[in-house]
């Protein structure tokens, strides 16, 4: 295990490894895991990868678990990168790719974060895990907690997808439906966790979900033969995946695997909940909370992101941008991806296509660029969005 310490993303304060942490004890912002990459790189080389396990645990040396026995895995990661020929033709974009995260256990990329977070929680002695979720995070926590033999306590908005509620219950989780938004669910957990002995695995409020999600960038680089795309389009809620991928690019550069060139990172949000898009347009360093978040893409209904300052920094440093799209465009895009590529994408992923189309029209993305849309989950969990179909 090559973790050296945890570092605050804001103030840089160092925190001891091998202890349960939530946010920075100095400033209350997210902690990031740092590794001794010189040592990790002795066994983790590009040539060592073929033949390794076909899950995200192939990047074992840059994942935080000390004891292999703590690893709680359901086969997550190492998902297909599909060349989207037919969809690309429709957009006039021959080099369009889809990273198909619907292959993950529980049907979304939340599995990546939870395999790492639950493995670490188990290793460090947590027994009861709690999370607020509008959908996919709940199913993923419930599944990994079940596999690890830990309790999962899940707080969901009452209007969350029935599929997600039922799924959590079949994994044996404790589910509470809340009249409110995801931040209300988060607040209830904060209030109760001390008394109940819960460990809060809210996104970016513990350091390891980012570590699981960063592996998307390792996979992209490996699957593209150690080049990176020109553009990565990411449907942004809390932004854990975007922050994770950016971190992984830096790690891979330090490992000597890639150069300093980075993809332009593009955040897509829904018009009814676009705090990062608004802040980006305003030139702000942090994002103001959205008061009435509304969108069919539950994973994007995140009115406040604790990592907002990192997201805005990444978008600017990468020369990327942020764009919002309507729910109608999102749903239409899901059908386009499905009918052209045979992938039933979650609405959040539909937002990626709608955002890309907008940026192509605006000339902010060129049609000859190599772009990757992050298809972050499966549409199978959202039947309610199409319940009016015959
Ligand atoms: C959670 C979720 C997102 C947003 O992910 P963040 O890392 O919170 O930005 C996007 N798509 C799907 C399908 C999700 O479940
Ligand atoms: Zn700090």
């Amino acid at each position: 295990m090559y973790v050296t310490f945890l570092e605050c993303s804001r103030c840089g304060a160092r925190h001891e490894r091998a202890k349960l942490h939530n946010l920075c004890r100095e400033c209350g912002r997210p902690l990031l895991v740092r590794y001794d990459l010189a040592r990790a790189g002795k066994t983790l080389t590009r040539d060592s990868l073929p033949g390794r396990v076909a899950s995200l645990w192939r990047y074992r040396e840059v994942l935080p678990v000390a004891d292999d026995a703590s690893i709680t895995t359901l086969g997550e990661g190492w998902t297909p990168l599909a060349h989207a020929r037919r969809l690309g033709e429709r957009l006039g974009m021959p080099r369009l790719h889809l990273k198909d995260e619907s292959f993950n256990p529980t049907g979304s990329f939340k599995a990546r974060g939870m395999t790492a977070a639950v493995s670490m929680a188990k290793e460090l002695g947590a027994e009861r895990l709690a999370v607020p979720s509008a959908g996919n995070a709940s199913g993923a926590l419930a599944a990994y907690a079940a596999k690890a033999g830990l309790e999962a306590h899940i707080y969901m908005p009452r209007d969350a997808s029935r599929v997600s509620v039922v799924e959590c219950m079949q994994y044996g989780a404790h589910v509470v439906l809340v009249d409110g938004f995801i931040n209300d669910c988060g607040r209830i957990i904060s209030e109760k966790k001390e008394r109940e002995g819960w460990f809060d695995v809210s996104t970016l409020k513990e350091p390891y979900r980012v570590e699981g999600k960063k592996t998307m960038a390792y996979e992209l680089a490996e699957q593209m033969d150690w080049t990176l795309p020109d553009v990565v389009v990411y449907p942004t809620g809390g932004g854990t995946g975007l922050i994770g991928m950016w971190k992984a690019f830096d790690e891979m550069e330090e490992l000597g695997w890639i150069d300093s060139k980075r993809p332009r990172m593009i955040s897509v949000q829904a018009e009814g909940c676009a705090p990062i898009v608004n802040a980006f347009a305003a030139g702000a360093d942090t994002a103001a909370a959205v008061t009435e978040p509304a969108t069919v893409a539950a994973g994007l209904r995140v009115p406040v992101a604790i990592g907002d300052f990192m997201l805005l920094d990444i978008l600017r440093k990468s020369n990327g941008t942020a764009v919002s799209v309507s729910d109608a465009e999102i749903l239409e895009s899901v059908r386009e991806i499905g009918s052209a590529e045979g992938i039933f994408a979650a609405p959040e992923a539909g937002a990626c296509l709608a955002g890309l189309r907008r940026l192509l029209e605006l000339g902010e993305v060129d049609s000859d660029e190599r772009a990757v849309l992050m298809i972050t989950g499966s549409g199978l969990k959202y039947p309610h969005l199409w319940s009016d179909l015959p």
Side-chain angles (χ1 to χ4, degrees), residues 7-13 15 24-31:
E7 184 177 35
C8 176
S9 56
R10 185 72 164 203
C11 76
H15 294 62
C24 172
R25 82 174 92 77
E26 303 292 332
C27 76
R29 290 301 185 135
L31 299 175

Side-chain angles (χ1 to χ4, degrees), residues 99-104 107-111 136 213 216 233-236 241 245 300 345-350 352 373-378 382:
K99 181 71 170 152
D100 188 1
E101 293 292 302
S102 72
F103 271 76
N104 279 301
S108 87
F109 76 151
K110 293 290 195 299
N136 287 320
K213 278 192 175 174
M216 290 189 291
V233 186
Y234 183 84
T236 306
M245 284 194 282
L300 306 186
E348 294 84 351
C352 286
L373 304 184
M374 303 307 292
I375 307 299
T376 45
S378 165
Y382 306 72

Side-chain angles (χ1 to χ4, degrees), residues 86-87 90 98 330-346 349-350 353 375 386:
R86 289 162 55 80
L87 187 60
R90 290 186 194 176
L98 308 179
I330 286 175
L331 292 175
E332 172 57 22
S333 298
V334 168
R335 204 182 55 76
E336 274 191 276
I337 296 169
S339 60
E341 299 298 333
I343 296 169
F344 184 15
L353 175 59
I375 307 299
W386 291 276

Side-chain angles (χ1 to χ4, degrees), residues 85-252:
R85 264 194 207 86
R86 289 162 55 80
L87 187 60
E89 246 167 55
R90 290 186 194 176
L91 288 173
M93 210 181 187
R95 298 199 296 159
L96 179 65
H97 292 76
L98 308 179
K99 181 71 170 152
D100 188 1
E101 293 292 302
S102 72
F103 271 76
N104 279 301
T106 72
S108 87
F109 76 151
K110 293 290 195 299
R112 290 183 188 266
M114 289 304 180
T115 188
V118 172
S119 297
M120 286 306 291
K122 186 178 170 76
E123 181 156 284
L124 301 178
E127 289 173 352
R128 299 185 186 88
L129 311 181
V131 82
S133 167
N136 287 320
S138 58
L141 174 66
Y144 285 89
K147 181 77 176 172
L150 306 178
E151 281 179 23
H153 296 268
I154 289 163
Y155 282 70
M156 298 169 98
R158 190 168 295 284
D159 59 357
S161 161
R162 284 301 295 166
V163 177
S164 293
V165 176
V166 170
E167 182 192 21
C168 289
M169 289 175 165
Q170 304 318 302
Y171 293 133
H174 304 266
V175 182
V176 178
L177 298 178
V178 175
D179 292 307
F181 300 115
I182 188 166
N183 48 323
D184 300 310
C185 298
R187 186 171 31 74
I188 297 174
I189 290 178
S190 315
E191 287 164 7
K192 293 183 77 161
K193 65 184 178 190
E194 197 107 9
R195 187 160 23 96
E196 302 284 346
W198 294 342
F199 183 64
D200 185 353
V201 291
S202 299
T203 195
L204 287 170
K205 289 191 184 163
E206 64 77 58
Y208 302 113
R209 284 174 65 178
V210 171
E211 294 303 293
K213 278 192 175 174
K214 79 179 180 186
T215 57
M216 290 189 291
Y218 280 91
E219 290 178 24
L220 275 184
E222 187 176 353
Q223 289 169 321
M224 293 188 144
D225 203 18
W226 309 111
T227 63
L228 295 178
D230 301 310
V231 172
V232 173
V233 186
Y234 183 84
T236 306
T240 311
L242 194 91
I243 291 165
M245 284 194 282
W246 193 255
K247 178 174 188 286
F249 294 144
D250 288 345
E251 290 175 2
M252 285 189 280

